[in-house]
Amino acid sequence: MIKIIVTGGLGFIGSNFIRILLSNDDYSSVLNIDKITYAGNPENLYDLESDSRYNFLESDIGDAEKVENAIREFNPTFIVNFAAESHVDRSIDTPEPFIQTNVLGTLRLLESTKKFFNTLDEKSKNEFRFLHVSTDEVYGSLSASDPAFCETTSYSPNSPYSASKAGADHLVRAYFHTFGLPVLTTNCSNNYGPFQFPEKLIPLMILNGLEGKQLPIYGDGRNVRDWLHVEDHCKGILSVLNNGKIGETYCIGGDSEKTNLQVVDTICAALDNHCNENAPHKNLKDFVKDRPGHDQRYAINFSKIKNELGWQPKYSFEEGMEKTV
């Protein structure tokens, strides 16, 4: 039976991941370590608190002593690190918390994990994995004609957020090559789905549309993102965790490149189907001043995880968006 620590498990992706774990009898116990920030909402998992397999520790991953003790006492088979500051606009306004959590926090978590790993017997060492969840934003921006990001794309982060995630990725790689820690890294495209904090594009548009508020769209709305339903992402992470090659990176994408304007139009159409009030919702669209240094396009080539591990996204963008709305 597998015991697994999830950091940042009260957040959007982490809480969805824990739900999938606890729907599977292979996982005997889950420890969620989360410091409960504005985006780490206990209500995301309130209905699982009575599950005897679910355990919670309120802690910053940067609290080395507390985390080190928790890892030693819980004795996990796997650790999956979701804990991160993740909003680009916030990183532009105040970069330091992103360095504190994403770089220094990841460093301290790796160090605590290394100390635990070095106490294991050979069988347990062979089974143990540390998986770090990252983003496609570390690769920078693409033009319309550029090939999609893949595992060998050079890093070229353009925001304080993506720079901090790039730093964390490099630390994870270093702990594999220098210390032999059995790590895995995943770089995903933009996620959407249930329990996402409402400052992000899709939940913001849905909630504003329901309330008859303006739908703010940066610039001309032509910036392109690849959209990945969170359930597909979590199942991709599990595929890597269980079958990925240690030391390797796997890109997880949704095969759904859309301009921001296309995303908003799809949301408006779905809202029109479910809510006559404020329809047609497309009339609420409002083009606003662009974000500083706004990357033009992200896209992911996920052929490696598809060919090696047999994973591919289940949801089309339209199906996933209808479900999300």
Side-chain angles (χ1 to χ4, degrees):
M1 300 298 287
I2 298 169
K3 299 175 71 176
I4 183 166
I5 289 178
V6 177
T7 68
L10 292 181
F12 166 42
I13 306 175
S15 62
N16 277 280
F17 186 71
I18 288 175
R19 287 179 174 278
I20 289 176
L21 292 179
L22 293 178
S23 70
N24 188 329
D25 291 337
D26 289 343
Y27 300 95
S28 61
S29 190
V30 176
L31 173 61
N32 176 12
I33 300 177
D34 195 297
K35 69 176 181 178
I36 312 184
T37 65
Y38 71 95
N41 187 353
E43 292 185 13
N44 287 350
L45 294 174
Y46 78 96
D47 55 323
L48 299 180
E49 291 175 358
S50 60
D51 190 319
S52 61
R53 294 176 297 158
Y54 178 68
N55 306 273
F56 177 72
L57 173 66
E58 182 177 350
S59 178
D60 189 327
I61 59 170
D63 187 337
E65 182 178 359
K66 196 171 184 179
V67 171
E68 189 176 324
N69 289 337
I71 294 173
R72 183 180 63 254
E73 291 173 10
F74 190 73
N75 191 30
T77 311
F78 301 145
I79 296 176
V80 181
N81 181 33
F82 291 95
E85 294 285 346
S86 65
H87 195 237
V88 175
D89 286 355
R90 286 178 182 264
S91 81
I92 292 169
D93 293 338
T94 313
E96 190 166 326
F98 289 76
I99 305 303
Q100 191 71 33
T101 297
N102 300 354
V103 180
L104 188 57
T106 300
L107 172 64
R108 290 178 176 169
L109 178 61
L110 284 165
E111 188 63 19
S112 296
T113 302
K114 184 189 75 170
K115 291 178 181 178
F116 166 74
F117 178 74
N118 287 338
T119 68
L120 298 176
D121 59 37
E122 285 306 307
K123 181 178 181 294
S124 298
K125 282 184 175 180
N126 289 334
E127 294 173 346
F128 183 81
R129 297 289 184 272
F130 177 99
L131 190 147
H132 174 67
V133 180
S134 189
T135 171
D136 59 358
E137 296 192 39
V138 298
Y139 299 124
S141 182
L142 298 169
S143 71
S145 59
D146 285 334
F149 300 134
C150 68
E151 292 80 4
T152 58
T153 302
S154 297
Y155 276 43
S156 187
N158 291 323
S159 71
Y161 160 61
S162 57
S164 68
K165 288 297 287 184
D169 292 7
H170 293 320
L171 285 169
V172 172
R173 173 185 169 88
Y175 267 68
F176 169 69
H177 286 278
T178 303
F179 303 114
L181 193 67
V183 306
L184 299 151
T185 299
T186 57
N187 294 83
C188 68
S189 53
N190 281 38
N191 279 221
Y192 69 100
F195 306 110
Q196 189 168 23
F197 192 72
E199 69 186 356
K200 299 296 179 76
L201 174 67
I202 287 174
L204 178 66
M205 295 299 126
I206 293 171
L207 293 173
N208 278 16
L210 287 172
E211 295 173 10
K213 297 179 180 178
Q214 294 295 299
L215 308 179
I217 303 168
Y218 279 133
D220 59 10
R222 294 182 183 176
N223 299 77
V224 175
R225 300 293 181 263
D226 175 35
W227 290 96
L228 172 66
H229 193 279
V230 66
E231 290 178 17
D232 283 332
H233 181 203
C234 290
K235 290 175 181 177
I237 291 170
L238 277 176
S239 293
V240 174
L241 190 59
N242 289 312
N243 299 302
K245 182 179 177 182
I246 62 169
E248 295 278 324
T249 294
Y250 293 85
C251 287
I252 305 178
D255 197 25
S256 296
E257 283 190 61
K258 303 290 180 184
T259 66
N260 288 343
L261 192 55
Q262 287 173 318
V263 171
V264 175
D265 285 341
T266 302
I267 292 170
C268 288
L271 286 170
D272 289 347
N273 290 335
H274 293 282
C275 179
N276 290 326
E277 189 176 358
N278 304 316
H281 290 84
K282 66 180 181 180
N283 292 341
L284 298 172
K285 291 189 293 187
D286 181 30
F287 293 89
V288 300
K289 183 179 178 181
D290 206 356
R291 165 194 289 164
H294 198 175
D295 289 340
Q296 182 58 41
R297 172 177 168 248
Y298 303 149
I300 276 191
N301 176 346
F302 59 87
S303 59
K304 178 178 178 179
I305 188 175
K306 180 180 179 181
N307 295 336
E308 292 187 12
L309 306 182
W311 175 91
Q312 60 183 354
K314 168 187 171 183
Y315 289 103
S316 70
F317 181 74
E318 289 71 23
E319 291 169 337
M321 188 58 64
E322 179 71 20
K323 182 176 181 180
T324 300
V325 170

